[in-house]
């Protein structure tokens, strides 16, 4: 549990971050809360000769809510999300999900930016961001660009972010309708056995839009467009649920691990999604 | 002279036995002021750490240290070849086997110690480990003991004779090169006959999975060899510091008076810290070689993967009964997976520990037990994880067999237990497998437990739930877990209990100071049990000085009297008895002093709470405080000055705490998630010294029971890779996963213990595991389940539901 030697940098601005990244290429990594990267370094599974701490950069710790969208800085912690009443008011699913991440000590340190940027399929926020159709702002030597969350994840720990880029903010359209983040885990601090994010809109008893994403059931988060579409135009009755679950099962690709074999994970994914939809619909 | 306070107030002031005295240890622990091994920092101290095998079975073809020795800060790299001239490349185990200190030509389990890197700090040591080049040649891996017993693959070439024959081991003949021992208890032929002719026989095969004690503080030590005075000081996480001193002396050749072993504060042991580990030997050698203190501390993965697994028993049982449910016979066979070396921590004569307590709390006239120990490519250990030696296995076995028999008889499991309990008037009870139970009142405890939880009401509710489930009204089943356990603790009588020839007595030495305070030292060592609190309470009641005026000290072999340490709930039964007996020696001398001061005959004074008073004239007295001063400062004819005593206590028998537990659980059949609605624990540990500490012990033991029953395991894949080597996968419950526990008690004092106490720290674990497991299994009983193996984690519970056809 002792990391290899590394250089530690704490630049005061983003230009400083980017120049260190440019100099050292993939030998350098940025760190926000460090709760994914530091354990990997201690296990010597991540070799990071140049570690750039973002804490002093500034400008990435704000939560801004306007009429159409919510902008959350990359260094906003899970704890900040939980404690922000205005945010809980406009996007309660963020608080519901953040409360299911690890434990309070981790949530004081762990950030939204780190959670979504790391590309760990076990992380809760990437799937949620896909459900909410969020987009990620990254900045590099060539300036800023915006990548939709639904296009961001390519494989485990592989994302659309380039090595020289830093994820600085997450922008979420203000969610509409009912919500649910449903997660089964073995214990506090665990990744999901299966988790489902659901955001659903009810207009006179009919579902007019539904977004569904699943966590830790593939090597990336899984946005299941077909599952959401299966609910649209229905009264979210049992027949619609069955079609949605079947569609979702076609999109996920779980692997066996200590949480259980594939058959179990598929079954639980279906159960969790049904429950998430039911809870979201009851709030819609 | 008139008393200013009442007798009751004088009793309260002592904070003696029966008082929920607050733990004196907690002030430092809750403020981060404990002093653990890793807090020890000495001038020039070096750090050692291991290169470990990535393979479960492999030849070690070469080890190249050159690159590692060039890493800045690395001073030395030790291998088996370096230890061989000292004869320390192997070491004896507690079970009469021997174990490689560093890989001697091969490795037998993943994580095995291959080389010891000594460096100026732990960062340099970690870099050095990366730089040691080891060439391995992989060998076939055996992780299943049944396959190991059939395999041509020889795990331990050192235990095969040159002509290919298999010499006997420490526990008798061996049947196969991967076989360690066969151990039997009871009568084989009569048991088989009873079962063959019985009206009803239930059979079951069960696997009690491998797990690990996982104390919060891992194992570690600091060795410091002073080359000027020739003294070796060894600080370490030792549950038995005196035994460690003797073992270190025997294997190193350093005379025992030149070795000082110190156990500082210990952050939990649960059996993990009983054994001797390669890290201790390597640290001592490294300190001798370098002339500097050397520290070695495991990280969490080292701890889970290499030191001290627990359980791993494959058990097959047959239990016979009359049609009315009276049990007539019990047969048990165990295939015990001991890993690559037999390092089980059991008394020498008991290679399967006290597994022969497996007749449990029941009057079973005929029984037979046979245990086969087997070598596999897993880590060595086999420790008693929060239990007396293998008692969790025994109690789990019988409490499952009772349930299986109840199913076979179509009978209520609570009633089946009741009609088979050993009756109060049968104690002392001689069990079929050899033990003499000292005392018990099982029916009273059982009736109290069932009444408190409204057992009949629970069964009615469960029946309704089954109806609702079948009608599609709910997807949750309800399980009622029962267990009644008898522990066997307090090892033990020296006539049959020793470890490496060291008799399992224990000790207490008391010095009363002139002003009426005292220090007492014991041969045990607290790892969180609260000895500094409770032993002072025993003494307070025995010698009439306030517990707050008594310091308890343990763990320094230069000052404490010799004892065998703390594990198997032996501290109160053995050292607690020594404490009471030493206190009584103090009191006997105090009586003579008091009589002299009061100018009466010795027999004319009597002890009363905190003083000796003249019989029939209670206003004439001398307090123990006054007596202490006189003992030192008043020349008393015929008496030596001073007030000290020492007692070494060899118990006449074990003690047999017992208890009745009930768990109510709701199980989501679709996700496999169990929810514990209620847990009731009645413990009878005899005389209760500190009710608050007992309650805390019960909470802790139940929580570790919950862990083991519901998910905690050390799992291997077919290649012998550990799949659960971190706390992500190794289940350590947090407050969130733990239910509210209801505790209760009855009191049946031990008839042979000086204060009637029996020990309690491990009972809740022993009784808790089958209770949680039975709750899960009971939920599925109405649908045809007889037995499923632990751990009952989500997917395995789901699998049970799935196999019973409870999913669409």
């Amino acid at each position: 549990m002792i990391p290899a030697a590394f250089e530690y940098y704490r630049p005061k601005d983003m230009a400083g971050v980017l120049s260190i990244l440019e100099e050292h290429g993939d030998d350098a990594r940025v760190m926000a809360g460090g709760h994914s990267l530091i354990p990997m370094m201690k296990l010597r599974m991540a070799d990071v000769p140049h570690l750039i701490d973002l804490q002093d950069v500034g400008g990435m710790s704000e939560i801004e809510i306007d009429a159409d969208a919510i902008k959350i800085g990359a260094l906003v912690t899970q704890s900040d999300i939980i404690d922000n009443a205005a945010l809980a008011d406009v996007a309660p699913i963020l608080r519901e999900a953040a409360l299911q991440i690890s434990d309070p000590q981790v949530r004081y340190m762990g950030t939204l930016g780190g959670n979504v940027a790391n590309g760990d399929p076990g992380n809760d926020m990437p799937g949620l961001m896909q459900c909410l159709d969020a987009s990620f702002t990254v900045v590099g030597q060539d300036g800023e660009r915006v990548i939709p969350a639904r296009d961001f994840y390519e494989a485990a720990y592989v994302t659309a972010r380039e090595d020289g880029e830093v994820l600085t903010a997450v922008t979420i359209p203000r969610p509409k309708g009912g919500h649910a983040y449903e997660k089964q885990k073995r214990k506090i601090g665990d990744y999901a056995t299966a988790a489902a994010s659901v955001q659903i809109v009810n207009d006179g008893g009919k579902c007019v839009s539904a977004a569904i994403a699943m966590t830790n059931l593939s090597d990336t988060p899984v946005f299941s467009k077909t599952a959401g579409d299966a609910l649209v135009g229905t009264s979210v009755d049992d027949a619609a649920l069955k079609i949605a679950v079947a569609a979702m099962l076609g999109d996920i690709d779980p692997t066996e691990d200590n949480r259980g074999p594939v058959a179990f994970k598929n079954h639980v994914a279906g159960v969790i999604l049904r429950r998430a939809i039911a809870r979201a619909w009851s709030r819609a | 002279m008139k008393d200013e306070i009442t007798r009751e107030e004088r009793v309260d002031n002592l904070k003696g036995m029966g008082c929920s005295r607050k733990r004196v240890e907690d002030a430092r622990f809750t403020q981060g002021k404990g002093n653990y091994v890793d807090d020890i920092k000495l001038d020039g101290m070096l750090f050692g750490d291991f290169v470990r095998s990535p393979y479960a079975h492999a030849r070690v073809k070469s080890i190249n240290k050159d690159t590692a020795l060039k890493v800045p800060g690395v001073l030395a790299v030790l291998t088996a070849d370096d230890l061989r001239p000292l004869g320390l490349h192997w070491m004896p185990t507690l079970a009469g086997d021997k174990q490689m200190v560093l890989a001697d030509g091969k490795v037998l389990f993943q994580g095995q110690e291959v080389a010891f890197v000594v460096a100026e700090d732990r960062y340099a040591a970690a870099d050095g480990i990366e730089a040691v080049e080891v060439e391995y040649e992989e060998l076939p891996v055996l992780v299943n003991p049944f396959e190991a017993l059939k395999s041509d693959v020889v795990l331990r070439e050192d235990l095969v004779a040159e002509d290919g024959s298999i010499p006997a081991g420490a526990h008798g003949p061996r049947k196969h090169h991967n076989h360690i021992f066969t151990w039997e208890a009871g009568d084989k032929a009569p048991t088989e006959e009873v079962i063959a002719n019985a009206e009803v026989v239930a059979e079951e095969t069960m696997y009690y999975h491998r797990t690990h004690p996982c104390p919060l503080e891992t194992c570690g030590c600091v060795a410091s060899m002073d080359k000027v005075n020739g003294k070796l000081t060894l600080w370490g996480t030792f549950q038995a510091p005196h035994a460690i001193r003797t073992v270190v002396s025997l294997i190193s050749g350093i005379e025992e008076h030149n070795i000082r072993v110190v156990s500082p504060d210990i952050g939990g042991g649960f059996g993990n810290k009983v054994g001797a580990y390669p890290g201790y030997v390597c640290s001592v050698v490294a300190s001798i070689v370098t002339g500097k203190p050397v520290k070695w501390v495991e990280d969490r993965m080292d701890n889970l993967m290499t030191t001290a697994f627990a359980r791993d028993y494959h058990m097959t049982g047959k239990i016979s009964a009359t049609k009315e449910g009276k049990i007539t016979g019990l047969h048990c066979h165990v295939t015990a997976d001991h890993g690559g070396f037999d390092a089980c921590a059991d008394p020498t004569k008991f290679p399967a520990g006290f597994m022969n307590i497996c007749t449990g709390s029941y009057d079973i006239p005929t029984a037979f037990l046979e245990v086969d120990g087997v070598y596999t490519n897993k880590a060595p250990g086999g420790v008693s994880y929060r239990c007396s030696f293998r008692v969790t296995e025994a109690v789990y076995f019988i409490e499952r067999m009772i349930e299986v028999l109840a199913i076979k008889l179509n009978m209520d499991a609570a009633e089946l237990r009741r009609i088979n309990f050993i009756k109060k008037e049968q104690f002392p009870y001689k069990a079929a497998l050899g033990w003499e139970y000292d005392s018990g009142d099982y029916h009273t405890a059982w009736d109290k437990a069932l009444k408190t939880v409204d057992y009949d009401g629970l069964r009615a509710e469960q029946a309704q739930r089954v109806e609702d489930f079948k009608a599609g009204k709910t997807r949750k089943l309800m399980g009622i877990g029962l267990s009644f356990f008898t522990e066997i603790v307090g090892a033990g009588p020296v006539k049959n209990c020793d470890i490496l020839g060291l008799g399992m007595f224990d000790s207490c030495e008391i010095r009363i100071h002139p002003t009426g305070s005292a220090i007492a030292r014991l041969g045990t060592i607290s790892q969180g049990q609260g000895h500094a609190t409770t032993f002072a309470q025993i003494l307070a009641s025995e010698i009439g000085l306030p517990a707050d005026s008594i310091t308890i000290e343990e763990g320094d072999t230069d000052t404490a009297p010799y004892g065998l340490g703390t594990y198997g709930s032996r501290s109160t039964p053995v050292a607690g008895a020594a404490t009471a007996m030493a206190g009584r020696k103090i009191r006997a001398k105090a009586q003579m002093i008091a009589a002299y001061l009061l100018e009466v005959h010795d027999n004319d004074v009597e002890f009363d709470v905190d003083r000796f008073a003249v019989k029939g004239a209670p206003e004439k007295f001398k307090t123990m405080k006054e007596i202490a001063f006189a003992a030192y400062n008043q020349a008393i004819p015929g008496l030596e000055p001073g007030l000290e005593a020492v007692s070494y206590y060899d118990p006449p028998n074990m003690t047999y705490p017992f208890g009745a537990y009930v768990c109510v659980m709701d199980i989501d059949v679709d996700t496999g998630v169990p929810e514990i609605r209620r847990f009731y624990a009645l413990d009878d540990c005899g005389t209760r010294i500190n009710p608050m500490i007992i309650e805390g012990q019960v909470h802790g033991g139940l929580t570790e029971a919950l862990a083991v029953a519901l998910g905690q395991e050390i799992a291997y894949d077919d290649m012998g890779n550990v799949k659960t080597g971190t706390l992500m996968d190794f289940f350590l419950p947090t407050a969130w996963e733990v239910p509210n526990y209801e505790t209760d008690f009855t009191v049946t004092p031990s008839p042979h213990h000086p204060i009637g106490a029996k020990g309690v720290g491990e009972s809740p674990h022993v009784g808790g595991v089958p209770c949680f497991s039975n709750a899960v299994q009971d939920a599925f009983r109405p649908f045809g389940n007889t037995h499923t193996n632990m751990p009952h984690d989500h997917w395995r519970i789901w699998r049970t539901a799935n196999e019973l056809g409870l999913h669409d």
Side-chain angles (χ1 to χ4, degrees), chain B residues 383-403:
Chain B
V383 302
S384 310
Y385 166 13
R386 203 163 185 147
C387 63
S388 197
F389 312 100
R390 298 287 187 186
V391 177
T392 43
E393 290 91 324
V395 170
Y396 183 75
F397 171 78
I398 184 65
E399 288 304 289
R400 282 303 305 146
M401 291 308 296
I402 289 284
E403 294 283 326

Side-chain angles (χ1 to χ4, degrees), chain A residues 1-4 43-44 184-191 258-261 263-264 267-268 271 275, chain B residues 123 126-127 130 299 301 668 670-671 673 723 727-732 734 736-737 794-795 798 807:
Chain A
M1 299 294 183
I2 304 282
L43 290 165
R44 297 197 176 210
Q184 180 168 339
K185 56 186 173 181
R186 296 171 298 180
K187 60 173 177 179
I188 287 295
D190 196 15
Y191 291 129
N258 288 325
R259 292 176 186 84
F264 166 69
H267 187 107
V268 169
V271 172
R275 289 179 186 176
Chain B
Y123 292 85
D127 290 343
E130 293 262 291
D299 67 24
M301 291 172 76
D668 182 332
D670 293 319
T671 59
V673 175
K723 292 161 65 183
L727 296 186
M728 174 63 81
D729 286 310
F730 184 85
F731 176 41
L732 205 60
T734 69
W736 190 264
E737 286 83 29
H794 297 172
W795 88 260
W798 176 87
H807 297 142

Side-chain angles (χ1 to χ4, degrees), chain B residues 31 33 46 53 59 75 88 256 273 336 352 406 431 514 530 533 537 577 607 616 640 743:
Chain B
Q31 295 178 55
K33 304 285 189 193
L46 307 175
S53 170
R59 295 243 174 267
L75 300 176
L88 292 176
E256 205 164 349
K273 295 165 179 170
T533 306
Q537 291 181 257
F607 187 69
E640 287 181 4
T743 58

Side-chain angles (χ1 to χ4, degrees), chain B residues 386 485 487 569 657-658 661 683 685 759-768:
Chain B
R386 203 163 185 147
F485 66 92
E487 256 247 274
S569 285
F658 59 91
Y661 292 177
D683 275 277
C685 58
V760 74
E762 299 169 333
S763 295
H765 190 67
V766 167

Side-chain angles (χ1 to χ4, degrees), chain B residues 454-471:
Chain B
D454 182 20
Y455 179 70
D456 294 339
L458 288 173
R459 284 291 177 205
E461 185 190 347
Q462 185 188 36
Q464 182 60 49
R465 182 74 72 85
V466 171
E467 291 310 309
D468 289 349
F469 183 86
K470 287 177 177 168

Side-chain angles (χ1 to χ4, degrees), chain B residues 7 248 311 338 349 368 409 483 501 513 558 587 620 760 805:
Chain B
R7 187 173 190 278
V248 169
R311 323 287 152 86
H338 285 216
K349 296 188 186 81
F368 178 68
L409 290 162
S483 87
H513 304 316
D558 266 9
R587 213 163 74 191
K620 292 182 183 167
V760 74

